[in-house]
Amino acid sequence: QVQLVESGGGLVQAGDSLRLSCATSGITFSNYAVGWFRRAPGKDREFVASISLNGRSTTYVDSVKGRFTISGDNDRNTVYLQMNSLKPGDTAVYYCAAKRISEVRYNYWGQGTQVAVSS
């Protein structure tokens, strides 16, 4: 059974940093990709970043390039999202999701962690 548990959210000021964690169980790192998504109030869910856990290739939405970094730790079965230079526009509930690399859709989702950035 695949389980994803996010943590690390909080309330910070613009310019601050946060590191989100996605603790995984039930997935084989070499066969899966993990993504971070976010949903801001009144907006649709948005892709933020993803990592293919076999080759560590990464993808980012343009609005976070240069500020956010996604990484994986095989020993801890955890994927991180390091968020620097946070902006009020980054305020959202952040979700991690997982899928087999061969699949298109993310099939497994965590419960989300709230990030709020004040100006």
Side-chain angles (χ1 to χ4, degrees), residues 17-67:
S17 298
L18 278 176
R19 188 178 77 163
L20 304 184
S21 299
C22 175
T24 74
S25 60
I27 70 173
T28 305
F29 260 41
S30 61
N31 296 334
Y32 279 77
V34 172
W36 284 97
F37 295 77
R38 65 187 179 187
R39 187 189 299 273
K43 294 187 177 180
D44 292 334
R45 186 175 63 200
E46 174 188 36
F47 168 82
V48 176
S50 66
I51 183 168
S52 292
L53 297 175
N54 56 356
R56 294 288 195 262
S57 62
T58 58
T59 305
Y60 299 91
V61 68
D62 285 348
S63 60
V64 308
K65 286 180 180 177
R67 299 190 298 123

Side-chain angles (χ1 to χ4, degrees), residues 11 13 15 17-18 23 29 31 33 35 37 42 46 48 62 64 66 69 73 77 82-83 87 93 96 107 117:
L11 172 63
Q13 293 186 330
S17 298
L18 278 176
F29 260 41
N31 296 334
F37 295 77
E46 174 188 36
V48 176
D62 285 348
V64 308
T69 302
D73 184 333
N77 293 326
Q82 177 67 42
M83 306 187 295
K87 304 176 181 180
V93 177
C96 69
N107 295 313
V117 184

